[in-house]
Amino acid sequence: MAYVITDQCTKDEKCVEVCPVDCIHPRKDEPRFEEVAQLFVNPVDCIDCGACVPVCEASAVFALDDVPEEAKAAIEANALYYA
Ligand code: SF4
């Protein structure tokens, strides 16, 4: 599986701070941070720990199976960032 960040993301990096495997990007110190509207989970590296979900004040992070219908495009968008 993998967790997915949707377009409710405010790029506050709360998830980045708790992710144990550093699979959420871009971080503020990375070149693409300003150019993207949201952060993305690397679906290959994500270990499904769920730590990013409760810290997200925008409720923008979902387990793959729980991504709302209207936000399904985010699944591909997260993967594409790392393609
Ligand atoms: Fe990182 Fe865990 Fe969230 Fe996956 S579920 S993005 S490993 S904090």
Side-chain angles (χ1 to χ4, degrees), residues 3 15 18-21 23-24 41 45-52 61:
Y3 279 62
C15 56
V18 299
C19 179
V21 293
C23 72
I24 301 173
V41 173
D45 293 344
C46 176
I47 58 170
D48 297 332
C49 71
C52 49
V61 194

Side-chain angles (χ1 to χ4, degrees), residues 1-78:
M1 207 172 67
Y3 279 62
V4 175
I5 301 178
T6 65
D7 62 4
Q8 301 299 304
C9 174
T10 60
K11 303 201 294 186
D12 67 5
E13 291 202 323
K14 296 272 170 31
C15 56
V16 172
E17 290 164 18
V18 299
C19 179
V21 293
D22 191 26
C23 72
I24 301 173
H25 298 272
R27 295 189 311 252
K28 276 194 185 72
D29 60 355
E30 294 174 334
R32 294 178 70 186
F33 185 83
E34 293 301 334
E35 117 195 6
V36 296
Q38 65 163 88
L39 307 184
F40 303 100
V41 173
N42 184 327
V44 174
D45 293 344
C46 176
I47 58 170
D48 297 332
C49 71
C52 49
V53 174
V55 297
C56 181
E57 292 173 11
S59 299
V61 194
F62 296 89
L64 182 61
D65 292 343
D66 297 334
V67 176
E69 201 55 44
E70 66 276 13
K72 293 277 192 214
I75 298 171
E76 191 178 0
N78 278 242

